Amino acid sequence: MRKIRKAFLIYAQPEKYEEYIKRHNPIWPDLRKELKKYGISNYSIFMHENKKYLFGYLEIQNESLFERMGDSEVCRKWWKHMTEVLICNTENDEKAKEDMLTEVFYLE
């Protein structure tokens, strides 16, 4: 079964890039288990050199399982934790601003 590839951009607050990196090394063990539970694998986040954005890539088993990840208390807690270092649409957001990308080319 071919996995679905997803990509996104997120934006760290410029003065908090180091904290963003620190919070991911390592991520919470419960979060790691939860991501796997929701069918996520091959998950990577890359920082652009100019530090204006981060590029995320992940593979999922299916959309409906992935969409239910917001039901997870652990995931919601992590998202809220990360709003302290990421740019959000408003200061009361429960999750940081995330721009999903559309795949235009793939070579297997």
Side-chain angles (χ1 to χ4, degrees), residues 71-88:
D71 297 337
S72 163
E73 183 180 336
V74 173
C75 289
R76 287 192 316 272
K77 209 167 148 183
W78 175 260
W79 294 338
K80 186 63 179 168
H81 177 62
M82 295 308 292
T83 62
E84 298 169 359
V85 296
L86 293 171
I87 292 174
C88 301

Side-chain angles (χ1 to χ4, degrees), residues 35-108:
L35 294 172
K36 296 284 186 183
K37 175 180 159 185
Y38 285 93
I40 297 171
S41 62
N42 293 323
Y43 192 173
S44 300
I45 299 174
F46 300 87
M47 183 183 299
H48 191 272
E49 294 179 5
N50 67 13
K51 296 185 177 179
K52 290 188 178 174
Y53 62 88
L54 299 134
F55 167 79
Y57 172 85
L58 59 131
E59 295 175 357
I60 64 171
Q61 292 176 0
N62 67 64
E63 290 287 347
S64 61
L65 180 61
F66 179 70
E67 288 171 7
R68 289 194 308 266
M69 191 170 61
D71 297 337
S72 163
E73 183 180 336
V74 173
C75 289
R76 287 192 316 272
K77 209 167 148 183
W78 175 260
W79 294 338
K80 186 63 179 168
H81 177 62
M82 295 308 292
T83 62
E84 298 169 359
V85 296
L86 293 171
I87 292 174
C88 301
N89 288 318
T90 70
E91 65 181 51
N92 296 322
D93 282 350
E94 297 293 315
K95 187 176 180 186
K97 177 183 175 189
E98 187 177 84
D99 293 329
M100 294 306 292
L101 303 175
T102 302
E103 183 178 290
V104 296
F105 175 77
Y106 174 68
L107 175 67
E108 188 165 42

Side-chain angles (χ1 to χ4, degrees), residues 15-31:
E15 68 281 5
K16 297 187 178 175
Y17 269 94
E18 295 306 317
E19 180 63 24
Y20 177 87
I21 293 167
K22 182 180 168 186
R23 290 183 185 197
H24 280 80
N25 290 289
I27 63 169
W28 302 337
D30 289 351
L31 180 62

